[in-house]
Amino acid sequence: MRTRFWRQRTNIISATLTLIAALLLTGCFGNDEEDWNGKNISGLMPELEFDLINSQGKSVSG
């Protein structure tokens, strides 16, 4: 009796996880058009300027 309960419970859990994965993956498919809600701000913002030192001690800049 207990093994049947756990087998049913395992089937329900695996079916639920499969459904969740399928729903999450639907966001990965769609049209190939780029319809982003963004705006090109080139020229409106100052150029990226920074100087950092990486883990090897070399200088890194924008």
Side-chain angles (χ1 to χ4, degrees):
M1 183 78 172
R2 280 190 162 177
T3 58
R4 183 177 178 194
F5 170 76
W6 286 112
R7 192 174 301 155
Q8 287 176 344
R9 191 168 184 86
T10 303
N11 288 342
I12 291 172
I13 291 172
S14 64
T16 303
L17 290 176
T18 303
L19 179 62
I20 290 171
L23 290 174
L24 290 174
L25 285 175
T26 57
C28 296
F29 301 106
N31 58 3
D32 292 333
E33 298 175 13
E34 292 187 21
D35 52 352
W36 297 93
N37 293 326
K39 188 175 186 179
N40 185 0
I41 59 168
S42 299
L44 297 176
M45 299 295 292
E47 292 294 321
L48 183 62
E49 294 180 20
F50 64 88
D51 292 316
L52 299 173
I53 297 177
N54 65 11
S55 59
Q56 288 81 28
K58 296 181 180 177
S59 179
V60 180
S61 63

Short mmCIF file of all heavy atoms in Angstrom, two decimals:
data_model
loop_
_atom_site.label_atom_id
_atom_site.label_comp_id
_atom_site.label_asym_id
_atom_site.label_seq_id
_atom_site.Cartn_x
_atom_site.Cartn_y
_atom_site.Cartn_z
N MET A 1 0.82 -1.19 0.00
CA MET A 1 0.00 0.00 0.00
C MET A 1 0.86 1.26 0.00
O MET A 1 0.58 2.21 -0.71
CB MET A 1 -0.93 -0.04 1.22
CG MET A 1 -1.88 1.09 1.29
SD MET A 1 -3.23 0.83 0.16
CE MET A 1 -4.29 2.13 0.59
N ARG A 2 1.92 1.26 0.81
CA ARG A 2 2.78 2.44 0.88
C ARG A 2 3.53 2.67 -0.42
O ARG A 2 3.71 3.81 -0.83
CB ARG A 2 3.78 2.29 2.02
CG ARG A 2 3.20 2.63 3.34
CD ARG A 2 4.28 2.71 4.36
NE ARG A 2 3.78 3.44 5.51
CZ ARG A 2 4.46 3.65 6.60
NH1 ARG A 2 5.68 3.20 6.71
NH2 ARG A 2 3.93 4.33 7.58
N THR A 3 4.00 1.60 -1.05
CA THR A 3 4.75 1.78 -2.30
C THR A 3 3.85 2.35 -3.39
O THR A 3 4.30 3.13 -4.21
CB THR A 3 5.35 0.45 -2.78
OG1 THR A 3 4.32 -0.51 -2.95
CG2 THR A 3 6.38 -0.07 -1.80
N ARG A 4 2.58 1.96 -3.38
CA ARG A 4 1.65 2.51 -4.37
C ARG A 4 1.46 4.00 -4.15
O ARG A 4 1.41 4.79 -5.08
CB ARG A 4 0.32 1.77 -4.27
CG ARG A 4 -0.68 2.21 -5.29
CD ARG A 4 -1.94 1.41 -5.21
NE ARG A 4 -2.90 1.88 -6.17
CZ ARG A 4 -4.15 1.58 -6.17
NH1 ARG A 4 -4.62 0.76 -5.25
NH2 ARG A 4 -4.97 2.06 -7.06
N PHE A 5 1.34 4.40 -2.88
CA PHE A 5 1.20 5.81 -2.54
C PHE A 5 2.40 6.61 -3.02
O PHE A 5 2.25 7.66 -3.64
CB PHE A 5 1.02 5.96 -1.02
CG PHE A 5 1.09 7.38 -0.55
CD1 PHE A 5 0.02 8.24 -0.74
CD2 PHE A 5 2.24 7.87 0.07
CE1 PHE A 5 0.09 9.56 -0.30
CE2 PHE A 5 2.31 9.17 0.51
CZ PHE A 5 1.23 10.02 0.32
N TRP A 6 3.60 6.12 -2.74
CA TRP A 6 4.81 6.85 -3.14
C TRP A 6 4.97 6.86 -4.64
O TRP A 6 5.45 7.82 -5.22
CB TRP A 6 6.04 6.25 -2.46
CG TRP A 6 6.08 6.61 -1.00
CD1 TRP A 6 5.93 5.75 0.04
CD2 TRP A 6 6.24 7.90 -0.44
NE1 TRP A 6 5.99 6.42 1.22
CE2 TRP A 6 6.19 7.75 0.96
CE3 TRP A 6 6.42 9.16 -0.97
CZ2 TRP A 6 6.30 8.83 1.83
CZ3 TRP A 6 6.55 10.24 -0.10
CH2 TRP A 6 6.49 10.07 1.27
N ARG A 7 4.58 5.79 -5.31
CA ARG A 7 4.66 5.74 -6.76
C ARG A 7 3.72 6.77 -7.38
O ARG A 7 4.09 7.49 -8.31
CB ARG A 7 4.34 4.33 -7.26
CG ARG A 7 4.68 4.13 -8.72
CD ARG A 7 4.48 2.70 -9.15
NE ARG A 7 5.33 1.82 -8.35
CZ ARG A 7 5.09 0.54 -8.12
NH1 ARG A 7 4.02 -0.03 -8.64
NH2 ARG A 7 5.88 -0.18 -7.39
N GLN A 8 2.50 6.87 -6.84
CA GLN A 8 1.55 7.87 -7.34
C GLN A 8 2.06 9.28 -7.06
O GLN A 8 1.96 10.16 -7.89
CB GLN A 8 0.18 7.68 -6.69
CG GLN A 8 -0.57 6.47 -7.19
CD GLN A 8 -1.88 6.28 -6.45
OE1 GLN A 8 -2.10 6.85 -5.38
NE2 GLN A 8 -2.75 5.46 -7.01
N ARG A 9 2.60 9.47 -5.88
CA ARG A 9 3.12 10.78 -5.49
C ARG A 9 4.29 11.17 -6.39
O ARG A 9 4.38 12.31 -6.84
CB ARG A 9 3.55 10.73 -4.03
CG ARG A 9 3.84 12.07 -3.44
CD ARG A 9 3.96 11.89 -1.93
NE ARG A 9 4.16 13.09 -1.22
CZ ARG A 9 3.19 13.90 -0.80
NH1 ARG A 9 1.95 13.61 -1.08
NH2 ARG A 9 3.45 14.99 -0.12
N THR A 10 5.16 10.22 -6.70
CA THR A 10 6.29 10.48 -7.58
C THR A 10 5.81 10.82 -8.98
O THR A 10 6.34 11.72 -9.62
CB THR A 10 7.23 9.26 -7.62
OG1 THR A 10 7.65 8.96 -6.29
CG2 THR A 10 8.44 9.53 -8.47
N ASN A 11 4.80 10.12 -9.46
CA ASN A 11 4.24 10.41 -10.78
C ASN A 11 3.63 11.80 -10.83
O ASN A 11 3.79 12.52 -11.82
CB ASN A 11 3.19 9.37 -11.17
CG ASN A 11 3.82 8.02 -11.50
OD1 ASN A 11 5.00 7.93 -11.77
ND2 ASN A 11 3.01 6.98 -11.46
N ILE A 12 2.94 12.19 -9.78
CA ILE A 12 2.34 13.52 -9.74
C ILE A 12 3.41 14.60 -9.72
O ILE A 12 3.33 15.60 -10.43
CB ILE A 12 1.40 13.65 -8.51
CG1 ILE A 12 0.17 12.77 -8.71
CG2 ILE A 12 1.00 15.10 -8.28
CD1 ILE A 12 -0.71 12.67 -7.49
N ILE A 13 4.45 14.39 -8.92
CA ILE A 13 5.53 15.36 -8.84
C ILE A 13 6.26 15.48 -10.17
O ILE A 13 6.53 16.59 -10.65
CB ILE A 13 6.51 15.00 -7.70
CG1 ILE A 13 5.83 15.20 -6.35
CG2 ILE A 13 7.78 15.83 -7.79
CD1 ILE A 13 6.63 14.69 -5.18
N SER A 14 6.56 14.36 -10.82
CA SER A 14 7.26 14.42 -12.09
C SER A 14 6.39 15.06 -13.17
O SER A 14 6.88 15.82 -14.00
CB SER A 14 7.74 13.04 -12.52
OG SER A 14 6.65 12.18 -12.75
N ALA A 15 5.10 14.80 -13.16
CA ALA A 15 4.20 15.42 -14.13
C ALA A 15 4.12 16.93 -13.90
O ALA A 15 4.13 17.72 -14.84
CB ALA A 15 2.81 14.79 -14.04
N THR A 16 4.08 17.33 -12.64
CA THR A 16 4.03 18.75 -12.32
C THR A 16 5.32 19.45 -12.75
O THR A 16 5.28 20.54 -13.34
CB THR A 16 3.82 18.94 -10.80
OG1 THR A 16 2.63 18.26 -10.42
CG2 THR A 16 3.71 20.40 -10.44
N LEU A 17 6.45 18.84 -12.48
CA LEU A 17 7.73 19.44 -12.88
C LEU A 17 7.86 19.51 -14.39
O LEU A 17 8.39 20.50 -14.93
CB LEU A 17 8.89 18.66 -12.28
CG LEU A 17 9.06 18.78 -10.77
CD1 LEU A 17 10.19 17.88 -10.29
CD2 LEU A 17 9.31 20.22 -10.36
N THR A 18 7.37 18.51 -15.09
CA THR A 18 7.39 18.53 -16.56
C THR A 18 6.52 19.66 -17.09
O THR A 18 6.90 20.38 -18.01
CB THR A 18 6.92 17.18 -17.11
OG1 THR A 18 7.75 16.14 -16.59
CG2 THR A 18 6.96 17.17 -18.63
N LEU A 19 5.36 19.86 -16.51
CA LEU A 19 4.46 20.93 -16.92
C LEU A 19 5.09 22.30 -16.65
O LEU A 19 5.04 23.18 -17.51
CB LEU A 19 3.13 20.82 -16.18
CG LEU A 19 2.10 21.89 -16.49
CD1 LEU A 19 1.71 21.84 -17.97
CD2 LEU A 19 0.89 21.74 -15.61
N ILE A 20 5.71 22.47 -15.51
CA ILE A 20 6.37 23.73 -15.18
C ILE A 20 7.50 24.01 -16.16
O ILE A 20 7.66 25.13 -16.66
CB ILE A 20 6.87 23.72 -13.73
CG1 ILE A 20 5.68 23.78 -12.77
CG2 ILE A 20 7.81 24.89 -13.46
CD1 ILE A 20 6.04 23.57 -11.32
N ALA A 21 8.31 22.99 -16.45
CA ALA A 21 9.41 23.16 -17.40
C ALA A 21 8.88 23.52 -18.79
O ALA A 21 9.44 24.40 -19.46
CB ALA A 21 10.25 21.89 -17.47
N ALA A 22 7.80 22.90 -19.21
CA ALA A 22 7.22 23.20 -20.52
C ALA A 22 6.71 24.64 -20.56
O ALA A 22 6.89 25.35 -21.55
CB ALA A 22 6.09 22.23 -20.83
N LEU A 23 6.08 25.09 -19.49
CA LEU A 23 5.59 26.46 -19.45
C LEU A 23 6.73 27.47 -19.46
O LEU A 23 6.64 28.52 -20.10
CB LEU A 23 4.71 26.67 -18.21
CG LEU A 23 3.36 25.97 -18.24
CD1 LEU A 23 2.66 26.12 -16.89
CD2 LEU A 23 2.50 26.50 -19.36
N LEU A 24 7.81 27.17 -18.75
CA LEU A 24 8.95 28.08 -18.73
C LEU A 24 9.65 28.13 -20.07
O LEU A 24 10.14 29.18 -20.50
CB LEU A 24 9.93 27.68 -17.63
CG LEU A 24 9.45 27.91 -16.20
CD1 LEU A 24 10.46 27.35 -15.21
CD2 LEU A 24 9.22 29.37 -15.94
N LEU A 25 9.71 27.00 -20.77
CA LEU A 25 10.39 26.96 -22.06
C LEU A 25 9.61 27.65 -23.17
O LEU A 25 10.18 28.01 -24.19
CB LEU A 25 10.69 25.52 -22.45
CG LEU A 25 11.84 24.88 -21.69
CD1 LEU A 25 11.97 23.41 -22.07
CD2 LEU A 25 13.14 25.60 -21.97
N THR A 26 8.32 27.85 -22.99
CA THR A 26 7.54 28.53 -24.02
C THR A 26 8.01 29.97 -24.21
O THR A 26 7.83 30.54 -25.28
CB THR A 26 6.04 28.53 -23.70
OG1 THR A 26 5.83 29.15 -22.44
CG2 THR A 26 5.48 27.12 -23.70
N GLY A 27 8.62 30.55 -23.21
CA GLY A 27 9.16 31.90 -23.34
C GLY A 27 10.40 31.95 -24.20
O GLY A 27 10.80 33.02 -24.67
N CYS A 28 11.03 30.82 -24.46
CA CYS A 28 12.24 30.78 -25.27
C CYS A 28 11.94 30.75 -26.76
O CYS A 28 12.83 30.98 -27.57
CB CYS A 28 13.08 29.56 -24.90
SG CYS A 28 13.68 29.58 -23.21
N PHE A 29 10.72 30.45 -27.11
CA PHE A 29 10.36 30.35 -28.51
C PHE A 29 9.44 31.51 -28.87
O PHE A 29 8.66 31.97 -28.06
CB PHE A 29 9.64 29.03 -28.78
CG PHE A 29 10.46 27.84 -28.43
CD1 PHE A 29 10.19 27.09 -27.30
CD2 PHE A 29 11.53 27.47 -29.23
CE1 PHE A 29 10.96 26.00 -26.97
CE2 PHE A 29 12.30 26.37 -28.90
CZ PHE A 29 12.02 25.64 -27.77
N GLY A 30 9.58 31.97 -30.07
CA GLY A 30 8.73 33.08 -30.50
C GLY A 30 9.21 33.57 -31.84
O GLY A 30 9.97 32.91 -32.55
N ASN A 31 8.78 34.76 -32.16
CA ASN A 31 9.21 35.32 -33.43
C ASN A 31 10.66 35.78 -33.35
O ASN A 31 11.18 36.09 -32.29
CB ASN A 31 8.29 36.45 -33.86
CG ASN A 31 8.23 37.57 -32.83
OD1 ASN A 31 8.91 37.54 -31.84
ND2 ASN A 31 7.41 38.55 -33.09
N ASP A 32 11.31 35.83 -34.49
CA ASP A 32 12.72 36.21 -34.53
C ASP A 32 12.89 37.72 -34.70
O ASP A 32 14.00 38.20 -34.84
CB ASP A 32 13.43 35.49 -35.68
CG ASP A 32 13.53 34.00 -35.41
OD1 ASP A 32 13.54 33.62 -34.24
OD2 ASP A 32 13.59 33.23 -36.38
N GLU A 33 11.81 38.46 -34.71
CA GLU A 33 11.90 39.90 -34.84
C GLU A 33 12.39 40.50 -33.53
O GLU A 33 12.10 40.02 -32.45
CB GLU A 33 10.54 40.49 -35.18
CG GLU A 33 9.98 40.01 -36.49
CD GLU A 33 8.57 40.54 -36.71
OE1 GLU A 33 8.15 41.45 -35.99
OE2 GLU A 33 7.90 40.02 -37.61
N GLU A 34 13.13 41.58 -33.66
CA GLU A 34 13.58 42.27 -32.46
C GLU A 34 12.60 43.39 -32.16
O GLU A 34 12.66 44.46 -32.75
CB GLU A 34 14.99 42.82 -32.66
CG GLU A 34 16.05 41.76 -32.77
CD GLU A 34 17.44 42.33 -32.79
OE1 GLU A 34 17.63 43.47 -32.34
OE2 GLU A 34 18.33 41.65 -33.28
N ASP A 35 11.71 43.15 -31.26
CA ASP A 35 10.75 44.17 -30.88
C ASP A 35 10.96 44.56 -29.42
O ASP A 35 10.10 44.41 -28.58
CB ASP A 35 9.31 43.70 -31.14
CG ASP A 35 9.02 42.35 -30.51
OD1 ASP A 35 9.95 41.70 -30.00
OD2 ASP A 35 7.85 41.95 -30.52
N TRP A 36 12.16 45.02 -29.14
CA TRP A 36 12.51 45.41 -27.79
C TRP A 36 11.94 46.79 -27.50
O TRP A 36 11.79 47.62 -28.37
CB TRP A 36 14.03 45.46 -27.63
CG TRP A 36 14.68 44.14 -27.83
CD1 TRP A 36 15.19 43.65 -28.99
CD2 TRP A 36 14.88 43.13 -26.86
NE1 TRP A 36 15.70 42.40 -28.79
CE2 TRP A 36 15.53 42.06 -27.49
CE3 TRP A 36 14.58 43.04 -25.51
CZ2 TRP A 36 15.87 40.90 -26.81
CZ3 TRP A 36 14.94 41.88 -24.85
CH2 TRP A 36 15.57 40.83 -25.49
N ASN A 37 11.66 47.03 -26.26
CA ASN A 37 11.19 48.34 -25.82
C ASN A 37 12.37 49.11 -25.27
O ASN A 37 12.49 49.33 -24.07
CB ASN A 37 10.10 48.21 -24.76
CG ASN A 37 8.84 47.62 -25.32
OD1 ASN A 37 8.51 47.86 -26.47
ND2 ASN A 37 8.14 46.85 -24.52
N GLY A 38 13.27 49.48 -26.14
CA GLY A 38 14.45 50.21 -25.72
C GLY A 38 14.63 51.46 -26.56
O GLY A 38 13.92 51.69 -27.53
N LYS A 39 15.58 52.26 -26.16
CA LYS A 39 15.85 53.50 -26.86
C LYS A 39 17.35 53.67 -26.96
O LYS A 39 18.07 53.46 -25.98
CB LYS A 39 15.22 54.67 -26.11
CG LYS A 39 15.27 55.97 -26.83
CD LYS A 39 14.51 57.02 -26.06
CE LYS A 39 14.45 58.29 -26.87
NZ LYS A 39 13.70 59.33 -26.15
N ASN A 40 17.82 54.03 -28.13
CA ASN A 40 19.24 54.27 -28.34
C ASN A 40 19.60 55.60 -27.70
O ASN A 40 19.10 56.65 -28.10
CB ASN A 40 19.56 54.28 -29.83
CG ASN A 40 21.03 54.38 -30.10
OD1 ASN A 40 21.84 54.45 -29.17
ND2 ASN A 40 21.39 54.41 -31.35
N ILE A 41 20.49 55.56 -26.71
CA ILE A 41 20.88 56.78 -26.01
C ILE A 41 22.30 57.19 -26.35
O ILE A 41 22.93 57.95 -25.62
CB ILE A 41 20.71 56.62 -24.48
CG1 ILE A 41 21.57 55.47 -23.96
CG2 ILE A 41 19.26 56.45 -24.11
CD1 ILE A 41 21.66 55.45 -22.45
N SER A 42 22.80 56.71 -27.48
CA SER A 42 24.15 57.10 -27.91
C SER A 42 24.19 58.61 -28.09
O SER A 42 23.33 59.21 -28.72
CB SER A 42 24.51 56.42 -29.23
OG SER A 42 24.51 55.03 -29.08
N GLY A 43 25.18 59.22 -27.53
CA GLY A 43 25.33 60.67 -27.62
C GLY A 43 24.63 61.42 -26.49
O GLY A 43 24.94 62.57 -26.24
N LEU A 44 23.70 60.78 -25.84
CA LEU A 44 23.00 61.43 -24.73
C LEU A 44 23.73 61.25 -23.41
O LEU A 44 23.64 62.09 -22.53
CB LEU A 44 21.58 60.87 -24.59
CG LEU A 44 20.65 61.10 -25.78
CD1 LEU A 44 19.32 60.40 -25.54
CD2 LEU A 44 20.43 62.58 -26.01
N MET A 45 24.42 60.14 -23.29
CA MET A 45 25.14 59.84 -22.07
C MET A 45 26.64 60.00 -22.32
O MET A 45 27.11 59.81 -23.44
CB MET A 45 24.86 58.40 -21.61
CG MET A 45 23.40 58.12 -21.31
SD MET A 45 22.80 59.05 -19.90
CE MET A 45 23.71 58.30 -18.59
N PRO A 46 27.40 60.34 -21.29
CA PRO A 46 28.85 60.46 -21.47
C PRO A 46 29.47 59.09 -21.77
O PRO A 46 28.91 58.05 -21.43
CB PRO A 46 29.34 61.01 -20.14
CG PRO A 46 28.27 60.70 -19.16
CD PRO A 46 26.99 60.65 -19.93
N GLU A 47 30.62 59.11 -22.42
CA GLU A 47 31.33 57.87 -22.74
C GLU A 47 31.73 57.16 -21.45
O GLU A 47 31.95 57.78 -20.41
CB GLU A 47 32.58 58.16 -23.57
CG GLU A 47 32.28 58.67 -24.96
CD GLU A 47 31.59 57.63 -25.82
OE1 GLU A 47 31.96 56.44 -25.72
OE2 GLU A 47 30.67 58.00 -26.57
N LEU A 48 31.82 55.86 -21.54
CA LEU A 48 32.20 55.04 -20.40
C LEU A 48 33.68 55.24 -20.09
O LEU A 48 34.53 54.96 -20.93
CB LEU A 48 31.91 53.56 -20.72
CG LEU A 48 32.17 52.55 -19.64
CD1 LEU A 48 31.27 52.81 -18.44
CD2 LEU A 48 31.93 51.15 -20.16
N GLU A 49 33.96 55.75 -18.91
CA GLU A 49 35.35 55.99 -18.52
C GLU A 49 35.60 55.40 -17.13
O GLU A 49 34.97 55.79 -16.17
CB GLU A 49 35.64 57.48 -18.50
CG GLU A 49 35.56 58.14 -19.85
CD GLU A 49 35.85 59.63 -19.78
OE1 GLU A 49 36.47 60.06 -18.78
OE2 GLU A 49 35.48 60.34 -20.71
N PHE A 50 36.52 54.45 -17.08
CA PHE A 50 36.93 53.91 -15.79
C PHE A 50 38.28 53.25 -15.94
O PHE A 50 38.70 52.88 -17.03
CB PHE A 50 35.91 52.91 -15.24
CG PHE A 50 35.73 51.67 -16.08
CD1 PHE A 50 36.54 50.57 -15.90
CD2 PHE A 50 34.75 51.64 -17.06
CE1 PHE A 50 36.37 49.43 -16.67
CE2 PHE A 50 34.57 50.50 -17.83
CZ PHE A 50 35.37 49.41 -17.64
N ASP A 51 38.99 53.11 -14.86
CA ASP A 51 40.27 52.42 -14.81
C ASP A 51 40.25 51.47 -13.62
O ASP A 51 40.05 51.91 -12.49
CB ASP A 51 41.44 53.41 -14.66
CG ASP A 51 41.62 54.26 -15.89
OD1 ASP A 51 41.56 53.70 -17.00
OD2 ASP A 51 41.82 55.49 -15.74
N LEU A 52 40.44 50.20 -13.91
CA LEU A 52 40.45 49.19 -12.86
C LEU A 52 41.68 48.31 -13.02
O LEU A 52 42.34 48.31 -14.05
CB LEU A 52 39.20 48.31 -12.96
CG LEU A 52 37.86 48.98 -12.79
CD1 LEU A 52 36.74 47.99 -13.09
CD2 LEU A 52 37.70 49.53 -11.38
N ILE A 53 41.98 47.56 -12.00
CA ILE A 53 43.09 46.61 -12.05
C ILE A 53 42.50 45.22 -11.86
O ILE A 53 41.78 44.97 -10.90
CB ILE A 53 44.14 46.92 -10.97
CG1 ILE A 53 44.74 48.30 -11.24
CG2 ILE A 53 45.22 45.86 -10.95
CD1 ILE A 53 45.72 48.76 -10.20
N ASN A 54 42.79 44.31 -12.81
CA ASN A 54 42.23 42.96 -12.74
C ASN A 54 43.03 42.11 -11.76
O ASN A 54 43.97 42.57 -11.12
CB ASN A 54 42.16 42.32 -14.13
CG ASN A 54 43.51 42.09 -14.75
OD1 ASN A 54 44.54 42.20 -14.12
ND2 ASN A 54 43.50 41.75 -16.02
N SER A 55 42.65 40.85 -11.65
CA SER A 55 43.27 39.96 -10.66
C SER A 55 44.73 39.64 -10.98
O SER A 55 45.47 39.19 -10.12
CB SER A 55 42.47 38.66 -10.54
OG SER A 55 42.43 38.01 -11.79
N GLN A 56 45.15 39.87 -12.24
CA GLN A 56 46.56 39.67 -12.60
C GLN A 56 47.39 40.93 -12.42
O GLN A 56 48.58 40.94 -12.71
CB GLN A 56 46.69 39.20 -14.06
CG GLN A 56 46.24 37.78 -14.33
CD GLN A 56 44.75 37.67 -14.47
OE1 GLN A 56 44.07 38.61 -14.88
NE2 GLN A 56 44.19 36.51 -14.14
N GLY A 57 46.79 42.02 -11.97
CA GLY A 57 47.50 43.27 -11.74
C GLY A 57 47.61 44.14 -12.96
O GLY A 57 48.32 45.15 -12.94
N LYS A 58 46.90 43.82 -14.03
CA LYS A 58 46.94 44.61 -15.26
C LYS A 58 45.81 45.64 -15.24
O LYS A 58 44.73 45.40 -14.71
CB LYS A 58 46.81 43.73 -16.49
CG LYS A 58 47.97 42.76 -16.64
CD LYS A 58 47.80 41.93 -17.89
CE LYS A 58 48.97 40.97 -18.04
NZ LYS A 58 48.83 40.09 -19.19
N SER A 59 46.06 46.79 -15.86
CA SER A 59 45.07 47.85 -15.91
C SER A 59 43.99 47.53 -16.94
O SER A 59 44.27 47.05 -18.04
CB SER A 59 45.76 49.16 -16.27
OG SER A 59 44.81 50.20 -16.34
N VAL A 60 42.75 47.79 -16.59
CA VAL A 60 41.61 47.56 -17.45
C VAL A 60 40.81 48.86 -17.55
O VAL A 60 40.60 49.54 -16.55
CB VAL A 60 40.68 46.45 -16.87
CG1 VAL A 60 39.50 46.21 -17.77
CG2 VAL A 60 41.47 45.17 -16.68
N SER A 61 40.40 49.23 -18.75
CA SER A 61 39.61 50.46 -18.90
C SER A 61 38.42 50.20 -19.80
O SER A 61 38.27 49.14 -20.40
CB SER A 61 40.49 51.58 -19.48
OG SER A 61 40.92 51.23 -20.77
N GLY A 62 37.56 51.20 -19.92
CA GLY A 62 36.35 51.08 -20.72
C GLY A 62 36.68 50.97 -22.18
O GLY A 62 35.98 50.42 -22.97
#
